[in-house]
Each structure stands twice: as C-alpha cells, then as structure tokens.
Amino acid sequence: YAGGENGWGGNAGGTFRGWMASGAADGAGVFYYLIEATSLGAALMESASLKQAIRSEMRDGDKLANFSALGNRGGADYMTFTSASGDACVGIRRYGPAQGAGYQWILYGVRCEPRGRPITDAEMDRFIGGATYRGPAASG
C-alpha cells in the first residue's frame, strides 16, 4: 500500500504492507492483523481507537458489546468485549519500535473463547505475550 488505511495512517510517500492470519488455539478463535512500514523513512501512526479498530476488522463489528476500559498489560493495549455470538473476547494492539514520526509496525490481535467460557488472566497474559512481530527488520 501507499499512504494510510482505515484505523491507521502512514506518512506521505511511504509504502506499507499488511498481514492477516486467523485460526484456533486451545479451542479459542484467534485473529491477527499486522501493518508494517516497508520503505526508508516510512512510519505508521495510530488514527483510530482500539475499539474502533476492533469493530472495523471483525465480522459483525457493529454488534460487539460490553467493551471494557482501555488497559495496558504486558506492553500491549487491550480491551475485553463480547462478540455478536456471545463469546468472551480480548482485543490487543502492540506497537513496534519507534520509526520516523511513528512506528515501524502495529499489531492487532483478537482472541475469543467459546460462549460460556470466560477468558482467564493467565490466558490473556499468554495471548498478549505471544503477540509480537517476528519478521525481518525494517529497511529504514
């Protein structure tokens, strides 16, 4: 991509790449979305709240409910919420290293436990601890 996209902004003239992955882990649904600055001097800036970003990336985002206050845990911003189908979920946002006027990358993640199974603090900590970017260093 060149420039910005919904939920995040990139500086003019920069190029960016997005990665998405979804699946299941320990019976829970997981989703990751990473955006990364790929050109020399490019940087990412947050342009939406975590709640707005979660709503825009999730199916039935307008039906998500019971958002908690924004917190920080294990170096990531997080919020808990309930999915449209009643699953207990946690959404996170982790910033990469500072670069230019923003960041080299921004990672979003969501973990939803099946309906009736709450997310424990230990599960939240494992999810947040494992959510990081493991790719090549930026070219800038």
Side-chain angles (χ1 to χ4, degrees):
Y1 305 97
E5 192 174 278
N6 184 33
W8 58 275
N11 51 347
T15 57
F16 307 89
R17 163 172 51 201
W19 304 88
M20 213 177 278
S22 63
D26 302 322
V30 293
F31 171 79
Y32 295 99
Y33 179 59
L34 177 112
I35 46 180
E36 151 187 47
T38 58
S39 60
L40 186 63
L44 294 160
M45 288 80 59
E46 189 61 52
S47 63
S49 70
L50 179 56
K51 182 178 178 178
Q52 290 168 324
I54 291 168
R55 284 189 183 278
S56 71
E57 293 299 330
M58 287 193 67
R59 182 178 337 136
D60 296 330
D62 59 331
K63 295 178 183 162
L64 304 178
N66 305 318
F67 279 88
S68 69
L70 181 67
N72 190 285
R73 190 177 189 130
D77 294 336
Y78 79 98
M79 305 181 94
T80 58
F81 61 96
T82 306
S83 74
S85 60
D87 299 341
C89 302
V90 60
I92 65 167
R93 175 180 55 211
R94 182 183 300 279
Y95 297 101
Q99 181 167 297
Y103 301 95
Q104 180 184 347
W105 51 264
I106 302 174
L107 172 68
Y108 297 92
V110 171
R111 178 184 173 102
C112 292
E113 296 292 334
R115 186 180 188 147
R117 190 168 115 187
I119 295 178
T120 67
D121 285 346
E123 288 166 333
M124 237 189 296
D125 289 341
R126 273 193 305 277
F127 178 63
I128 291 169
T132 188
Y133 178 56
R134 295 175 180 97
S139 57

